[in-house]
């Protein structure tokens, strides 16, 4: 499918929080988001976007005809072993109506460009194997290698 000419990518601002919250809710895979009121999600995302630091975070939104249809976020991380920094793609989500139109590829390419500007050595993401993006090999088809490594996680007790 051809790339739509009206696609715009730009950095997210706090005023995008409601649209991003809507995209996350539309995934219908995040139990805590589905359980809370839309306003609650929006306020939380506003706070998180405001708390992002330009030297460490890049949050991009994708707009078609002026409406946000997707977003992605990368955190730039120090790694003293490497010659450059790492970029961790923590999220990349499109509204279900916007998938399959190369918008995800365009967002990924924008993060690649940003990685180049920052002399990053690698981009990473964790892709759960039960997700459509994994099943349809989005990252592999985009040229990313699947690493045979263990990912460890410890859930932290809630602070309040
Ligand atoms: C995964 C995602 C970001 C890909 O963006 P996209 O714009 O839909 O993908 P593109 O149109 O650029 O297509 C590139 C590849 O993505 C994959 N893809 C296409 N449609 C897809 C869909 N509905 N769901 C998942 N992957 C899809 C295919 O591998 C496709 O390659 P192909 O055209 O050779 O089959 C997007 O589909 C999405 O947000 N899906 C739901 C949320 C998700 O799974 N996010 C990833 C969390 S890590």
């Amino acid at each position: 499918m051809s790339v739509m000419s009206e696609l715009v990518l730009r950095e997210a601002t706090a005023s995008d929080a409601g649209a991003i919250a809507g995209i996350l809710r539309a995934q219908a895979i995040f139990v805590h988001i589905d359980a809370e009121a839309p306003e609650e999600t929006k306020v939380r995302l506003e706070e998180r976007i405001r708390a992002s630091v330009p030297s460490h975070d890049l949050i991009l939104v994708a707009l078609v005809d002026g409406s946000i249809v997707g977003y992605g976020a990368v955190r730039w991380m120090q790694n003293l072993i490497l010659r450059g920094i790492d970029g961790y793609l923590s999220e990349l989500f499109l509204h279900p109506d916007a998938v399959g139109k190369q918008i995800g590829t365009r967002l990924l390419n924008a993060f690649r460009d940003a990685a180049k500007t920052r002399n990053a050595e690698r981009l990473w993401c964790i892709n759960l194997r039960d997700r459509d993006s994994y099943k349809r090999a989005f990252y592999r088809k985009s040229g990313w290698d699947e690493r045979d490594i263990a990912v460890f996680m410890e859930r932290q007790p809630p602070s309040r």
Side-chain angles (χ1 to χ4, degrees), residues 5-62:
S5 55
E6 68 272 31
L7 180 72
V8 170
L9 303 183
R10 63 159 171 79
E11 288 194 35
T13 67
S15 62
D16 300 327
I20 294 172
I23 288 164
L24 290 174
R25 192 172 303 273
Q27 308 299 316
I29 53 174
F30 301 114
V31 176
H32 67 291
I33 289 178
D34 295 345
E36 65 191 1
E39 184 62 21
E40 199 181 336
T41 315
K42 182 185 157 205
V43 169
R44 188 160 45 76
L45 294 191
E46 271 170 3
E47 284 170 6
R48 299 294 288 275
I49 294 169
R50 282 206 185 92
S52 66
V53 183
S55 58
H56 288 71
D57 299 290
L58 179 61
I59 308 172
L60 294 177
V61 287

Side-chain angles (χ1 to χ4, degrees), residues 27 92-94 99-105 133 136 138 141:
Q27 308 299 316
L92 180 64
F93 289 102
L94 304 184
V99 300
K101 299 174 184 171
Q102 298 279 296
I103 299 170
T105 299
S133 47
R136 298 191 50 166
F138 173 65
K141 284 184 183 172

Side-chain angles (χ1 to χ4, degrees), residues 98-159:
V99 300
K101 299 174 184 171
Q102 298 279 296
I103 299 170
T105 299
R106 290 277 296 272
L107 277 165
L108 209 54
N109 286 340
F111 286 122
R112 283 178 165 134
D113 291 345
K116 199 170 177 188
T117 303
R118 288 167 174 77
N119 286 323
E121 198 163 315
R122 311 181 294 198
L123 282 170
W124 289 89
C125 75
I126 292 173
N127 194 196
L128 300 182
R129 292 199 171 103
D130 61 358
R131 293 274 165 84
D132 284 345
S133 47
Y134 184 82
K135 290 180 189 158
R136 298 191 50 166
F138 173 65
Y139 293 103
R140 252 184 295 135
K141 284 184 183 172
S142 301
W144 292 37
D145 296 322
E146 182 173 354
R147 300 291 305 270
D148 183 20
I149 53 175
V151 175
F152 292 93
M153 178 183 77
E154 182 190 45
R155 287 204 186 277
Q156 301 301 300
S159 53

